[in-house]
Amino acid sequence: MVTTRDIRERAADEPITMLTAYDAPTAAVVDDVGIDIVLVGDSMGNAVLGHDSTLPVTLEEVRSRTGAVARATDDALVVADMPFLSFGVDEAESVENAGRMLKEADADAVKLESGAHTVELTRRLTELGIPVMAHLGLTPQHVNETGGYQRQGTDADAAERMLELAREHEDAGAFSLVLEHVPANLAEQITEALEIPTIGIGAGSDTHGQVLVITDVLGLDEWSPPFSKQYADLRGEMAEAIGAYKREVENGEFPAEEHSHVEDDVDDVY
Ligand code: KIV
């Protein structure tokens, strides 16, 4: 079983692997393959719930899917992503919402899209026994403020501020830090400045680990970001399988004898 402590103490020469999953069968494969961390990301909004951003994702959706992922996972660390406005508005409510992920969905930790507003919350959650993965750089829950999904930390002021926030979250007790869509040389410097591991997505190769969205990896989405890599074409394979089923039903090939059952006693009911 991978624990938050294992991740925090992971040696720099042993890269951390992390993938999102939103359902039990996918999580089971991710876990069997030996991925260290399964993130039940609010990217489910775009990836599987048909929204065009992460903003509509609800606490209940993340809680329910985290439960499914946790039930299918034996070894990997399960991290539940706190959805938009489920944290940061009111401390007591934030603690209660994050706590539900551990108490009701069996998550091992939560991830917060981070900023100045999450430093004290990270401290409080950690004190209470709710481990926090911080997340800086591109934070898609701020899309209406940033005006899009652009690379972050691209000038010296923004880069310094990000480094400062990374340090503040480490001091507050975060056990790891996701860096999304930031220049590789900034991610490298933040990684060097921290004791806790950094996990990059679109942040170059000098972080301690990497994370990708599973539907991008498997080729299930029509679109994926340029920093992602597609390792399969499941969309194509699904279309082939579903097309074959449709053809066989239409031409009477399915169901065949081996898919049917005949009971002699019910021969004469008509
Ligand atoms: O929601 C998500 O999948 C994420 C990862 C991209 C880090 O936050």
Side-chain angles (χ1 to χ4, degrees), residues 18 20 22 39 41-43 81 111 113 135 178 180 201 211 213:
M18 169 160 138
T20 68
Y22 318 106
L39 171 67
D42 68 347
S43 51
D81 205 6
K111 178 171 82 58
E113 286 197 11
H135 177 167
V178 168
E180 179 166 358
I201 172 163
V211 54
V213 168

Side-chain angles (χ1 to χ4, degrees), residues 30-247:
V30 169
D31 187 53
D32 280 352
V33 167
I35 294 291
D36 296 308
I37 306 175
V38 186
L39 171 67
V40 188
D42 68 347
S43 51
M44 70 175 71
N46 310 68
V48 296
L49 297 178
H51 298 301
D52 59 9
S53 80
T54 60
L55 304 193
V57 175
T58 66
L59 188 75
E60 188 46 35
E61 283 164 338
V62 177
R63 191 200 61 79
S64 154
R65 283 168 178 269
T66 300
V69 165
R71 286 189 288 276
T73 303
D74 293 326
D75 294 319
L77 187 82
V78 175
V79 179
D81 205 6
M82 297 305 294
F84 182 51
L85 298 187
S86 68
F87 64 99
V89 180
D90 172 78
E91 191 189 87
E93 191 184 61
S94 305
V95 170
E96 190 183 326
N97 288 342
R100 288 186 65 195
M101 296 301 170
L102 274 67
K103 285 176 76 132
E104 296 173 21
D106 210 17
D108 300 306
V110 297
K111 178 171 82 58
L112 305 181
E113 286 197 11
S114 309
H117 62 298
T118 57
V119 176
E120 285 317 308
L121 180 58
T122 297
R123 196 180 313 282
R124 185 73 185 125
L125 291 173
T126 307
E127 274 170 6
L128 289 169
I130 303 173
V132 174
M133 174 180 279
H135 177 167
L136 292 171
L138 175 63
T139 49
Q141 291 173 14
H142 288 85
V143 63
N144 287 310
E145 193 199 332
T146 53
Y149 297 101
Q150 310 90 332
R151 185 175 291 117
Q152 300 294 307
T154 52
D155 63 59
D157 281 351
E160 267 171 39
R161 183 73 193 124
M162 203 183 298
L163 174 58
E164 202 176 299
L165 280 173
R167 286 200 171 108
E168 287 173 14
H169 282 82
E170 176 174 73
D171 288 347
F175 73 93
S176 60
L177 169 68
V178 168
L179 288 171
E180 179 166 358
H181 209 11
V182 301
N185 49 341
L186 173 59
E188 184 184 0
Q189 290 170 75
I190 294 176
T191 300
E192 276 170 14
L194 300 185
E195 296 286 325
I196 57 171
T198 55
I199 301 172
I201 172 163
S205 58
D206 289 310
T207 51
H208 294 111
Q210 296 291 327
V211 54
L212 285 177
V213 168
I214 191 78
T215 47
D216 295 337
V217 169
L218 299 178
L220 272 170
D221 275 337
E222 276 177 276
W223 179 88
S224 60
F227 52 72
S228 192
K229 183 167 174 185
Q230 188 180 321
Y231 289 83
D233 175 25
L234 284 205
R235 197 181 166 85
E237 285 191 35
M238 280 171 72
E240 258 178 51
I242 294 165
Y245 162 74
K246 178 175 182 292
R247 275 192 307 280

